[in-house]
């Protein structure tokens, strides 16, 4: 299962994903488009960790979360129709 992170700050929000580099034993963090996260979330193949940068509060959202939480933290487009 893929794990994406959504960072929310004063200026807006953005999504990231951690990639493990086997040869160098490091973790690369890359910014990901919202459309990519939405595609995998609607397939039920990912979870999103929502992080509020100002307060440090973290919330884990997956396809078993309530529709209200999904709508509140990710948006209406992440709800299955």
């Amino acid at each position: 299962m893929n794990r994406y992170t959504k960072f929310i700050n004063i200026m807006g929000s953005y999504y990231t994903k951690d990639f493990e580099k086997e040869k160098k034993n490091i973790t690369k963090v890359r910014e990901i488009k919202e459309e990519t996260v939405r595609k995998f979330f609607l397939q039920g193949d990912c979870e999103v960790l929502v992080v509020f940068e100002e307060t440090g509060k973290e919330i884990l959202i997956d396809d078993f979360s309530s529709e209200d939480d999904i709508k509140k933290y990710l948006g209406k487009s992440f709800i299955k129709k």
Side-chain angles (χ1 to χ4, degrees):
M1 179 176 281
N2 294 323
R3 174 176 274 192
Y4 296 96
T5 307
K6 179 178 183 179
F7 289 97
I8 300 175
N9 56 26
I10 295 173
M11 303 301 289
S13 64
Y14 58 95
Y15 292 90
T16 63
K17 183 175 181 186
D18 295 343
F19 294 96
E20 297 287 329
K21 293 287 190 176
E22 294 178 10
K23 292 183 179 179
K24 298 181 181 178
N25 292 329
I26 59 173
T27 303
K28 287 264 192 180
V29 179
R30 293 200 174 127
E31 192 168 336
I32 304 293
K33 293 181 182 179
E34 182 177 346
E35 295 82 29
T36 305
V37 178
R38 183 182 314 122
K39 179 178 81 170
F40 288 112
F41 188 83
L42 292 175
Q43 291 175 0
D45 191 29
C46 82
E47 56 190 13
V48 180
L49 180 66
V50 180
V51 177
F52 295 92
E53 289 185 337
E54 298 163 358
T55 61
K57 183 179 176 184
E58 296 181 353
I59 300 167
L60 185 64
I61 304 289
D62 58 6
D63 53 343
F64 297 111
S65 300
S66 69
E67 283 191 10
D68 293 335
D69 287 343
I70 295 171
K71 187 176 182 180
K72 181 177 181 180
Y73 296 113
L74 300 180
K76 288 189 267 182
S77 61
F78 282 83
I79 296 175
K80 296 179 182 175
K81 296 178 182 175

